[in-house]
Amino acid sequence: MNCCALFLNSTLFPITINIKSVTFKNQSFFLRQSSIVSANLSTITKHKSLSSVHSNSLRVLEWDKLCDSVSSFATTSFGREATKAQLWSLNQTYEESLRLLEETNAAVEMYNHGGCRLDFTGIDVVLVKSAIQQARRSLPVDGNAAMAVAALLQHCETLQLNLKAAIKEDEDWYRRFMPLTEEIIGFVINRSLVKLILQIIDEDGSVKDSASPALKRSREQVTMLERKIYQLMDSLIRSEKNETPFLEVSNIDGRWCIKSGADQLKGVKGLLLYSGSGRGSIVEPLSAIPLNDELQQARASVAKAEADVLSMLTEKMQIDLDEIEKLLNSIIQLDVVNARATFGLSFGGAYPDLSLPEGSGSSTSVVYPSGNKNSNASYPIKREWTLYLPKAYHPLLLQQHRQNLQKARKDVSNATSDIRRKQQGEIMAPKGEKDIDLPSLKMQVTALEQSHPVPVDFFVNHKTRVLVITGPNTGGKTICLKTVGLAAMMAKSGLYVLASQSVKIPWFDAVFADIGDEQSLSQSLSTFSGHLKQINDIRLHATSQSLVLLDEVGAGTNPLEGAALGMSLLESFAETGVLLTIATTHHGELKTLKYSNDTFENACMEFDEVNLKPTFKILWGVPGRSNAINIAEKLGVPSIIVDNARELYGSASAEIDEVITDMERLKQDFKEYLEEAQHHMMLSKDLYENLLVARRKIMEHGTRQRLRKMREISEAAAMARSILHNKARQLRASAIQSSRPTPADKSQHALAINRQHTMAEYTEHPMAYKSASFIEDIKQTPSEKPQLPKVGDMVYVSSLGRKGTVLRLEPSKDEIVVQTGNMKLKLKLTAIEK
């Protein structure tokens, strides 16, 4: 049953859902309305507005089943209906589709964060809607409905607080949760109303005794009267039990009575309420009538007190009724977004790069990475493609496989439990029942785990307008068409596409499909006529932004006429400017269109000729060839039949197929070699640029090193010249001041002074000293080097101008002890002369 029929048969009362959305980005998340259109009625209206050709296309693509699958992830009943309504609203603009994708991505980010998930399981939206409707009509709100309103307000407050906490922890979450952030932050919640509801309404929806003094008194009176009546009835039954057995207390319309198994109660006086032959009788004792009357009045007082409390509560709710309704609408819409996001996460979807094609083709040379099953090339750059879907899955096949696997695993679990209980004797196997075949069930699970659906790669270049896919029956051509069609509508409707992470898909204003064996019995049309009518309707409605999917174009009639008609139809779609047309066919003539028109491209479904089964993979740029005769030969069909078939098929046709195959193989090899050459050229260019950079760095480093060495040598030379000049001045000054000593003493005295100054300058300027010392060492001969004095030698103390006797030497400390006259002096070796 499709989605439209499902809504038509729905008997739920109308729900109000705001589906209309605001403009893109800078405005609020949802447009508010005081009242919202029923989801059922809005969905039916949308279905009626769809053209028949569009409706047929959605039906053959099984869009209704996908909508049901997505809506099942919503956590509220209204959310499920609203999800279907939103997905069936296929008139979104490009900006609206981008906004829907942003909402879905924000919900995914919330799910990944963990603290802000959009889970509304605890909210009973039906009761909240009932409370709003009752309050609108000034009717007392039911206790359960009031508790549902409190739960709504509490959930919204919790969601808002969690979001604020996440943003406080990291401000980047504010951007990542957009555009949902503004909507949730803008929640207006009356906390005093929540407090009031929880004070007067119990968890089971009943009004609490503490809600009002009058209610408490009335309930206490009811309890007291019921106790009195029970005691009265108990005494009457005990007194009458000896004469009339099987007596019991019964409550008839709120009045306490005595019920007997006998037709008459002789010992109890009262009003006979019921008497039947053989069925006993019911009597209200006369003594109980006043108490029953009083009890009825007390119960009426309780009902009035409860109504007063609920009326007061309703008046409080009416003050914030608009805000409560806005919160309900927001929760429903957030639930729709949550359903889209959870669906994508559950099946491993990817955020699609939704582009708005300009309609101009590109002349860029394209290499299809999957065109050769032995190719190890990576996926191409996305900007070269109009449609880029690597490893795309058909969502319904993926869901069906998951359900089958879950069922098989559950069967294994149940079988294991049953076997264990039988072994423990808890249950007995019925006679004739077969034993549970647990190994077979486990093998079934293993087989399902290994037979995961095969993804397909779709790469359509900018210049391609018509893609022709050939291949054997049951090869997966139809599934490929449906996969692309569903992916296009999913991206347009704000859903993640079930493909790998890099997905680029154009925004199509509509997806038209002619798939399957369609017949129009009402118009007495054959299969072929039905296809032609559908294709003609597609031509009338398709635009330059449409996607057209044609399955087995030109089939159902004479092969020659069908091939000619198919070629003409595809050329007409290319000429009228349809953004993309994908067609499957068995007609070999359609393969040749690529070689006369640049807007055509070929692809085929791969077939394993060794194992004689399809691989469900697409080979790009390669036309498929007929495998029927080869398969028949490998299956053991007599050679005379095979040879006759080849002769009837025609050697020319076979040679054409071989020529086309060889051409495509050579073309594919050329493109691969070209791509490899371009790759190596890029590597060579990078290496050359790296060498230039390294050469420049080496030259710059050498220049810096030379400059540094020259600077150091210049500084050392300048310092050495300064030291030599200082030494020369010191020698001249020493020669003038020293008149008493002999010339030999003067020479030794100057040499000592020179050494003393040299040591001081060495500590300050080691580099200069090294240079000066080197020059001095060249001039000085071994015989001129000073000798250490011995104990008892006479030495000249230059600072005193007197001679003294050496008493002690300390070479390690470079010190000497000298006695001159009555004085003992400790001097440096440089301060004395021999």
Side-chain angles (χ1 to χ4, degrees), residues 208 478 692 827:
K208 293 182 178 179
T478 303
L692 290 179
L827 303 173

Side-chain angles (χ1 to χ4, degrees), residues 61 63 66 101 350 352 354 387-389 392-395 456 458 479-499 503-508 511 547 549:
L61 290 173
W63 178 245
L66 182 60
L101 284 172
L354 194 63
L387 180 64
Y388 183 84
L389 285 175
Y393 287 95
H394 189 290
V456 294
F458 259 92
I479 293 298
C480 288
L481 290 184
K482 291 185 177 182
T483 300
V484 176
L486 290 176
M489 291 193 294
M490 289 168 69
K492 182 180 180 181
S493 302
L495 291 167
Y496 276 15
V497 177
L498 305 190
V503 173
K504 181 177 181 181
I505 192 167
W507 180 86
F508 296 104
V511 178
L547 172 63
L549 306 173

